[in-house]
Amino acid sequence: LNFAKLRGAGVKHFFSKCALCQDMITGPRFRCVHCENFDCCIKCERRLSDEHKADHVFELIFEPLDPINEDLPVGTEVEVFGLDGAASSLNGVAAKILRYLPDVRMYDLDLPFGGGKPIVPSANVQPVEATNAWEAQEILEKTLAQQEARQFCLNLPVGQRV
């Protein structure tokens, strides 16, 4: 099975951990609809029949329920994912944020090695630095602090560069 072509491939579910391997879930997330807190990653999915109740049903989640992709600070390293067609060549590429365009919910990115400066929808970027829930929370707090400073201290709209 080629996981790279699977819907939701590369998507990070920052605040969900696989109950079987204990890693943060990347890719499609299997959530048990019967258990309050039982999620499984694609790598461990084949173990479910042996390690979870056979009569339980799983919801397949392709997009994170709590994404961290709106108004990230300039310079944040992000990974591109989920683009289709010709733009799919950017999937998996790491880039730095140059600016956020709030009116269209897009990012102007700086690709490494002079690869260009594509404009990518915010729904198709995620922070690279976050490899667990604590790091994701830290990035989220920086983002919220940035938004609050713009709005209340400087009276600037969301996404406006300082």
Side-chain angles (χ1 to χ4, degrees):
L1 181 64
N2 184 353
F3 291 135
K5 293 187 177 190
L6 187 64
R7 182 172 163 216
V11 172
K12 294 180 181 179
H13 299 269
F14 293 107
F15 301 105
S16 298
K17 187 166 59 168
C18 177
L20 301 178
C21 70
Q22 303 303 310
D23 289 340
M24 179 179 73
I25 296 177
T26 300
R29 172 182 160 200
F30 296 81
R31 185 185 71 81
C32 180
V33 299
H34 302 278
C35 298
E36 187 174 330
N37 191 19
F38 190 93
D39 295 296
C40 181
C41 68
I42 189 82
K43 293 182 289 183
C44 296
E45 181 269 337
R46 69 180 134 248
R47 295 171 42 197
L48 284 175
S49 61
D50 296 329
E51 299 187 40
H52 198 69
K53 295 180 180 175
D55 62 338
H56 281 205
V57 175
F58 284 82
E59 173 186 17
L60 191 51
I61 302 171
F62 296 105
E63 302 299 326
L65 299 178
D66 300 308
I68 301 176
N69 58 10
E70 288 297 327
D71 199 16
L72 292 165
V74 170
T76 300
E77 189 174 352
V78 294
E79 176 184 23
V80 179
F81 71 95
L83 294 174
D84 296 323
S88 67
S89 63
L90 292 175
N91 291 338
V93 171
K96 290 199 184 235
I97 292 176
L98 292 175
R99 66 184 169 139
Y100 177 62
L101 308 166
D103 295 338
V104 291
R105 298 177 77 185
M106 308 269 273
Y107 283 103
D108 188 1
L109 301 177
D110 185 18
L111 296 177
F113 311 113
K117 295 179 173 54
I119 306 275
V120 177
S122 64
N124 297 100
V125 301
Q126 59 194 356
V128 170
E129 295 99 7
T131 58
N132 59 51
W134 298 110
E135 292 170 351
Q137 183 67 33
E138 196 173 289
I139 291 170
L140 185 57
E141 287 176 10
K142 285 179 189 175
T143 299
L144 294 173
Q146 170 182 273
Q147 291 172 354
E148 188 175 290
R150 273 199 211 104
Q151 186 176 14
F152 296 110
C153 299
L154 304 172
N155 200 27
L156 297 172
V158 170
Q160 180 70 42
R161 283 186 85 169
V162 178

